[in-house]
Amino acid sequence: MAASGGRTVGSFLWKCGNCCFNFNTVSSNLTRQVLSRQLCVSAVLHRKNLAAAGPEKFSEEFIKKQVEEFNIGKRHLANMMGEDPETFTQGDINRSIAYLFPSGLFDKKAKPLMKHPDEVFPKQRAVQWGADGRPFHFLFYTGKQSYYSLMHDTFTKALAVEKHQDRLRGKDLFTQDAKQISLVGSRWLLKEELEELLVETISEHDYARFIQLMERLLSLPYCSVEEDFVQRYRRQLEIQSSKQQVQPLQYDQHGVAYSTGDGKQRKTATGTVLLRDSGSGSISINGTNYVHYFPVLQDREQLMFPLHFMGVLGRFDMQCSVSGGGHSSQAGALRLAISRAMLSFLSEGQVETMRQAGLLTPDPRIKERKKPGQEGARRKFTWKKR
Amino acid sequence: MLYTCLLPACQSEQHLGQYYTVPPSHFHTVFPHGLPPRYQQQVKTFNEGCVMVRQPALELISHLKRADYSKPTLRYLLYGVKGSGKTMSLCHTVHYCSTQGWLVLHIPDAHLWVKNCKELLPSSYHASRFDQPIQASNWLRNFRTTNEHFLSKIKLRQRYVWTKRESTEEGRPLGELVDMGVSRVKSSSDVVGAVLKELRLQAGGTEGGFRLAVAVDGVNGLWGRTTLKKEDKSPVAPEELTLVHNLRKMINNDWCGGAVIATLSQTGSLYAPSSAYLPQELLGEEGFDSMDPFVPVPVSLYSEKEFESCYLYYLDRHWLQHPHSQTEEGKKELIFLSNRNPSVLERLCAFL
C-alpha cells in the first residue's frame, strides 16, 4: 500500500540514549521494531491516496507517541554531536544523520531520514461519525465533504460580495475602480496541493470547477473584501534570477577588471575561466590556443555563444583550464564557466536574458546507469524467439 | 586596394595584404605539384590563382635579392603553427625565383618519400640503400615540366653508366638524362641523384651562370623515422633511402650559387605531436645540426589587415553567400571562430 521510503531513526536513537551506545543489542531491537512498523512517506511527493484507504491506520495516540520519541531522539542526537539541544534545528539534524549514517545510495528517498512525524506520516482524517453512527458533517454522504463544503463557502462569499455591491449601488457609492486584489507573482494551488489541504482526493473536473468558481469571485469589482480568503488558495512564485549570486568585479594591479568563473561541471568535466576586460579576444585553454585545443568547430561555437549573445566578442581575454570528460563536455563546462564569469560585467536585465537563454543552467544530464538483465542503459539483449 | 598586378620581383612593403594574380600560363609550368590541395581546389573554383602578399614571403624575397652568391648557400627555414601559410609563402618565393630565371628544384612534400611507399627496390648503385621508383619518376616528370628551358642548356660533366648496355656520355644535355629517368623507372632514383649532383656542381659556375633554388616542403621528414619496412619487418632509416640521401647532400651548404628554402610541416610528419611547430621539436637533434646555421623565418597567423583583405577577397569573389557573414557581426564571429588562422578560415568560409 504505502511505498517504502525513509527509515525513521527516531526510535533507534531513543534506544541508543537508553543503552549508552550498545550497538549489538540495539540493532536486534531495531530490526524487530522495523519489521513490526509500517514504513510510509509524505503523501504530496507520492500522489497516493491520502486517507481514502479507509479508516485511519495510525491512531492519534500513536502519532503523539511518535512526536515524543522524535523530540527525545532529537535531544539525544544533539548531545551525541556535542551541540546545544535547545537550538538544534532540522538542518542540523539532517547534517548529523548524514554524518553518522553515510550512505552511498543515489536515491534521496532511500537514505536515512529523521523528520518530524507530521512530515513523515500522511495527514489522517479523524473518525467522521460519532458513537451512534451518525456523521458529524452534513455533507458526509456526498463522499467529498471538505471539497463540497469549500465550494459552498466560496459561493457564499461571492453572494456576500454581490450583496455588498448592491448595498453600495443603493447608496450611490458604487465605483468601478475599487481596489483589486493583486494576482501578480502568485499562482493558484495545484491539484495535489489542494488535495493535501482538504485531506481527500478530488478529480480533475472538480479542480477545474473550483478554479472556475474562484475566478468568478475575482471577477466581481469588490472582491478585495475577501482578499484573505482568496490568498489562502494562492502560492507565491519565486523569482528565479534573484537566486543567482553575482560576484563583484575584481581589479588587478594595472587596473584591468577581471572576474573568475568558478569550476563548472558538465558530465564529469570541470572548467574554470579567468575573464579579463579590455582584451583582444584571445583565448588560451590549458596553455594552448583554443583553435588547437578544440579543432572541432562545434566546440568553438559553444565557447562563442555567451559572448556573441551579449555582443562582446572582441572585448575579453580569457584564460581557461579544463579537465575531465570528453571534448564536447569540456566545451559545455567552459561555456557555463564563461557565462558565470560574465555576470559581474553585466546589468540585471542582461543577467535575466542570459538566464532565460539557458546559459546559466548547469546541464544535469549524466551517463545513465546500466541495468542488470540489459546490455546497456536502454538496449536489451537480442530477443530470441526460442 | 585589393589587387596588385605586379610580379613578385616588384612587390614591396606597401603591397602587404594585397592579392596578386599568378598568370595562368605560369600555373602549369611553375606549380605542377607544389600547391596545397585545398588551394588548388580554390584556384579551380575561382578560375584564377590569387596569392596574398605577406610579410614572411617578402622577407625571404628581399634576402634572396641581397644575398651574395659566391659564398656557400644560405638556408632559410619557414616555421609556424599549423595552417599559418608556410607552404603558400614557399610557393610565392618559388614563383619569384622562376620569374627571375632561376632553376627551381621544388620538392612538394618530403614526407611523401618516407611513407606509404608501395615498392622498395634495393639500390643497384649502393648495396645497402633502397630505391623508390614511383616517387622518383613522378618527381622527374614534374621537374621536367618546371624547368623545360634549362634542360637543353645544361651539359653533363660526367659519364653515367646505368646498366651494361646503357650509359649517358659526358656533354649530353640534362634533358636526355631526365627523359631516361622517366622512361627507365627502375633506375629513376639514381637518375635523381645524378641530376642533383650535376646541378650542385654547375650552379655557381661562371660559364653556365644560373642560380639554383632548392625548395623543400616538410623538410623535417628527412630526419625523422619512416613507416617503411624491409622484407624482414625491420624499420628503414631515412639514410637508407637513395632519394633522402641525395637530398640531404643538396641541403648541406657545401655548394654555392643558390639558396635553400625549406618549410617545416607537422601535418604530414610521422611520430610528431600535433602541438609541435618549432624547429627544434620537429627537426630533431640530427636535423637541427645539419640545418644549422639557417635563417629562421616565422610565419604567423593573419594580422588584422591581412584578415580584412582575405575577407574582402572572399566577398569580392562571392564566396561568402550567407547574408549574415557579410555583416560586421558575422565578421567578428569569423574572427573568433578561426582566430585568424588562414586554413581554418578557409575551411569555415567553404560552407558559408
Side-chain angles (χ1 to χ4, degrees), chain A residues 36 63 70 73 76 112 118 124 131 159 173 190 192 235 276 307 359 363:
Chain A
S36 57
I63 299 271
F70 173 76
H76 280 307
D118 282 343
Q124 300 273 307
L159 287 177
L173 290 171
L190 293 176
E192 289 78 20
R235 289 273 176 276
R276 252 186 253 274
L307 305 173
L359 278 169
D363 203 333

Side-chain angles (χ1 to χ4, degrees), chain B residues 46-91:
Chain B
F46 292 168
N47 252 347
E48 59 166 20
C50 275
V51 180
M52 199 202 282
V53 175
R54 287 186 76 193
Q55 174 55 33
L58 274 184
E59 200 181 311
L60 258 184
I61 293 177
S62 62
H63 278 307
L64 289 174
K65 279 185 197 166
R66 288 179 311 203
D68 185 359
Y69 291 105
S70 51
K71 303 233 181 76
T73 38
L74 277 173
R75 291 171 297 192
Y76 307 95
L77 190 61
L78 289 162
Y79 69 98
V81 287
K82 199 154 65 163
S84 53
K86 303 182 282 284
T87 315
M88 286 307 294
S89 307
L90 185 72
C91 295

Side-chain angles (χ1 to χ4, degrees), chain B residues 3 40 50 91 101 122 137 156 194 202 215 241 247 250 272 301-302 310 320 329 335 348:
Chain B
Y3 296 101
Q40 276 174 351
C50 275
C91 295
S137 51
L156 297 178
Q202 297 189 15
L241 293 168
L247 196 55
M250 280 306 275
L301 305 174
Y302 278 160
C310 184
L320 294 171
E329 289 285 326
I335 297 182
L348 201 50

